[in-house]
Amino acid sequence: GESVGLHLPTLSVQEGDNSIINCAYSNSASDYFIWYKQESGKGPQFIIDIRSNMDKRQGQRVTVLLNKTVKHLSLQIAATQPGDSAVYFCAENNSGGSNYKLTFGKGTLLTVNP
Amino acid sequence: DAGVIQSPRHEVTEMGQEVTLRCKPISGHDYLFWYRQTMMRGLELLIYFNNNVPIDDSGMPEDRFSAKMPNASFSTLKIQPSEPRDSAVYFCASSRTGDTEAFFGQGTRLTVV
């Protein structure tokens, strides 16, 4: 799993398997969370987001789970494909205040083996 | 929409020189963010603007760094004088509001030698 401040963890999966990427966030006041995907040489790309009034949200092949009790976020990718290989970042934001700061974790490197 | 556009994509400069990075946000987005990415520190927020006004510049490392947003479609990040430790990828991002997803540009890879 991933946590802000630690080294970049890696996850290696076989094509077709499901992937789970974890993230521990730091601010209990954070109420908006985003998962980004970053491929080599490109900027981070939005995947899916979730607000703190939800504990699960589904997209196309992706699901984000939020556990506010333990400040944990996860991204599940179904039927992982080689094109999913990238670094995945979770980001947290506290939009309740006047200062909107999207804080990123260090990222998890996902490698999909064909 | 073409997305967030940054220029140049790559910049190599000598220590002590002035560097200016440019960004065109997505039309209609009220928020603009400048981030820096390094292997050691990850993605760090440097400064962000709301409706062209700088709101939080607490992430700007030193007085050598400055950012401006003269209008809704253009922003610059300037480093003067540049130092080798400024070498990083600099990203600009924009969002429609402060609590919606931010869309990133392709970044500018800066190398200071």
Side-chain angles (χ1 to χ4, degrees):
Chain A
E2 164 202 353
S3 182
V4 174
L6 299 183
H7 65 279
L8 186 66
T10 59
L11 175 65
S12 183
V13 301
Q14 290 297 123
E15 181 178 0
D17 287 352
N18 296 332
S19 303
I20 299 176
I21 301 172
N22 297 301
C23 174
Y25 63 93
S26 56
N27 187 353
S28 57
S30 292
D31 57 3
Y32 180 54
F33 306 88
I34 307 176
W35 279 101
Y36 282 91
K37 171 187 179 183
Q38 187 175 26
E39 297 173 281
S40 181
K42 297 184 179 180
Q45 178 185 6
F46 171 83
I47 301 174
I48 192 169
D49 59 358
I50 189 169
R51 298 193 184 274
S52 59
N53 60 352
M54 302 173 69
D55 52 22
K56 180 179 180 179
R57 191 162 189 228
Q58 289 185 292
Q60 189 176 16
R61 283 203 304 120
V62 295
T63 301
V64 55
L65 299 178
L66 174 63
N67 186 331
K68 296 181 288 295
T69 302
V70 295
K71 293 190 289 186
H72 184 267
L73 196 66
S74 69
L75 177 70
Q76 301 176 2
I77 305 174
T80 314
Q81 302 168 0
D84 295 328
S85 295
V87 177
Y88 288 81
F89 295 93
C90 69
E92 60 181 300
N93 190 21
N94 177 5
S95 60
S98 60
N99 198 356
Y100 302 116
K101 268 187 175 180
L102 200 58
T103 303
F104 283 79
K106 293 295 186 190
T108 295
L109 174 62
L110 174 65
T111 302
V112 182
N113 302 309
Chain B
D1 199 313
V4 176
I5 300 173
Q6 292 186 245
S7 64
R9 288 296 310 277
H10 302 273
E11 177 81 33
V12 180
T13 190
E14 292 184 346
M15 182 174 62
Q17 295 298 306
E18 175 181 303
V19 175
T20 299
L21 311 181
R22 296 172 175 79
C23 174
K24 181 181 188 305
I26 294 172
S27 178
H29 282 195
D30 290 340
Y31 285 79
L32 183 140
F33 308 86
W34 281 101
Y35 283 86
R36 177 172 68 177
Q37 185 175 39
T38 62
M39 286 298 295
M40 291 299 297
R41 303 172 69 92
L43 269 164
E44 303 174 279
L45 178 64
L46 301 178
I47 185 172
Y48 80 89
F49 295 81
N50 177 19
N51 291 322
N52 314 337
V53 177
I55 302 301
D56 186 338
D57 65 355
S58 60
M60 297 286 262
E62 300 171 29
D63 290 345
R64 297 183 297 107
F65 285 69
S66 63
K68 294 182 179 180
M69 192 165 184
N71 57 64
S73 59
F74 184 65
S75 177
T76 60
L77 177 67
K78 184 180 294 185
I79 308 173
Q80 180 185 24
S82 57
E83 297 183 2
R85 59 194 169 116
D86 301 331
S87 297
V89 181
Y90 290 81
F91 287 104
C92 176
S94 70
S95 65
R96 184 172 50 83
T97 66
D99 63 347
T100 53
E101 69 269 27
F103 294 86
F104 283 74
Q106 296 281 53
T108 295
R109 179 173 294 277
L110 173 66
T111 304
V112 184
V113 297

